[in-house]
Amino acid sequence: MELLDNLSLGFSVAFTFQNLTYALLGCVLGTLIGVLPGIGPVATIAMLLPITFHLPPTASLIMLAGIYYGAAYGGSTTSILVNLPGESSSVVTCLDGYQMARNGRAGAALSISAVGSFFAGTVGTIIIVMFAEPLTRMAQKFGPADYCSLMALGLVAAVILASGSVTKAIAMVFLGLLFGLVGTDVNTGAQRFTFDIPELSDGIDFAPIAMGLFGIAEIVVNLERHLTRSGGTIKVTSLWPTADEVRRAIPAALRGTFLGAALGVLPGGGPTLGAFSAYTLEKKISRNPGQFGKGAVEGVAAPEAANNAAAQTSFIPMLTLGIPSNAVMALMVGAMIIQGIQPGPEVMTKKPDLFWGMIASMWIGNAMLVIINLPMIGIWVKLLTVPYRFLAPAILLFCCIGAYSLQNSTFHVMQVAVFGVLGYIFVRLGCEGAPFLLGLVLGPQMEEYFRRAMLLSRGNAMVFLERPISLGLLITTALLLLLMAIPSFKKARKEAFVEEEG
């Protein structure tokens, strides 16, 4: 009964005119940035962070969530019709989606993608509803030592699941932790690494870092690559798949949904890992693996279901434990902090309208996305004709205005520029920005919980081993570190993103 009451509260919040409007706006923006190559959900949410400061907390988070899972829908449209992935999780859809379109099955590929995504999104939302309360109750039993160990586990898992070099991912996490130290020491009041710059006394603001790393750097990289969108678009005729296509798509979508849902919860996981893992799984279990890359229905249904399920379930650790599982969730944590909300178990108990309203809006948003995407395919594809040379200055201007509006200070604009250069250097060195962002977000919290645990235990470091929850988390962290040294695991980790490299 309590669950039904909570869902009733959630839908009553989500169905208000204001929240429906922001959900629709988020879904439309998400589809738009999914369609346009070179602008991902991370860059878009980073640019919109300053705007959320002026919006009600529930409405702003509903809009940002809509952008996140809306991008997964939009990215599939251009992957199928023009072989151009709008964002990273849609790369694998190009392999078979575009081939289906060339074989005259573009409409079927789009329908399977949209319906599979809606089903996966619905399942992901149900999983959030099922696990939210038990996880929150468990989190309320956590002490400072347990939270510190949980965050250590999160950072190690983020390193393992990051694509590319493990060494570079570890370096990025530590760099993020170091940047998180800048500011005033909460316990002593001493200034740390501020270099007598008054604006740094409160630490480096989260929004300028995010806008620079993911907004400005993305623009420079795309301009360097001479990103173009020319190319013929395949005409869409009937949207109805055949009975054989449906028969093959259903089990693939089910497998993709549950694999994506599981990977979405893990720190460092998310839609991209879910999509590539689902594609790899389908290829391995198929009786005819040679059909993949030539228009296999399973190659569209599984990755699309996986990336949407992962997008939904990645909210679970963020909402219940306050631990972001990927870069977008780190930005969502930043948006909550901007609104004066402490992410974690207290969100459900102290702000149930926000918590359940956001969950209810996810299902509404998924329903909106099916309506937005299928009938309006022609409009989204026409947007590909907008030259990137017009789009890039507009994004740059928007970033600068957003940064200035935070505190009406040019210092924030300079910060965006500095982190834009740093972000570009990261890209050139093959370093992912996501581990840096997770280190930056979790670092100050981890330090606070560590110091609190040490104060309560009167300086006894054994408190981390004496508490059963903390001990279990530290053992898991140690096992993950050992996994990284196993050659077979290293090989499996590389193979997870092998299609992306190809």
Side-chain angles (χ1 to χ4, degrees), residues 268-347:
T272 305
L273 182 65
F276 283 103
S277 300
Y279 188 85
T280 305
L281 175 68
E282 288 303 313
K283 203 169 178 180
K284 282 185 176 178
I285 65 170
S286 174
R287 291 177 183 174
N288 185 16
Q291 68 181 335
F292 284 83
K294 297 176 182 175
V297 174
E298 297 89 340
V300 175
E304 284 300 308
N307 73 19
N308 280 274
Q312 302 290 332
T313 57
S314 59
F315 282 89
I316 293 174
M318 190 274 287
L319 286 172
T320 58
L321 304 172
I323 306 293
S325 58
N326 54 47
V328 173
M329 290 302 109
L331 293 171
M332 295 289 282
V333 167
M336 292 175 87
I337 292 168
I338 286 171
Q339 293 282 358
I341 300 165
Q342 180 59 43
E346 290 186 354
V347 175

Side-chain angles (χ1 to χ4, degrees), residues 416-439:
V416 169
V418 168
F419 281 100
V421 172
L422 193 63
Y424 175 71
I425 293 168
F426 289 162
V427 172
R428 297 295 293 172
L429 293 174
C431 299
E432 268 198 283
F436 175 88
L437 205 60
L438 292 174

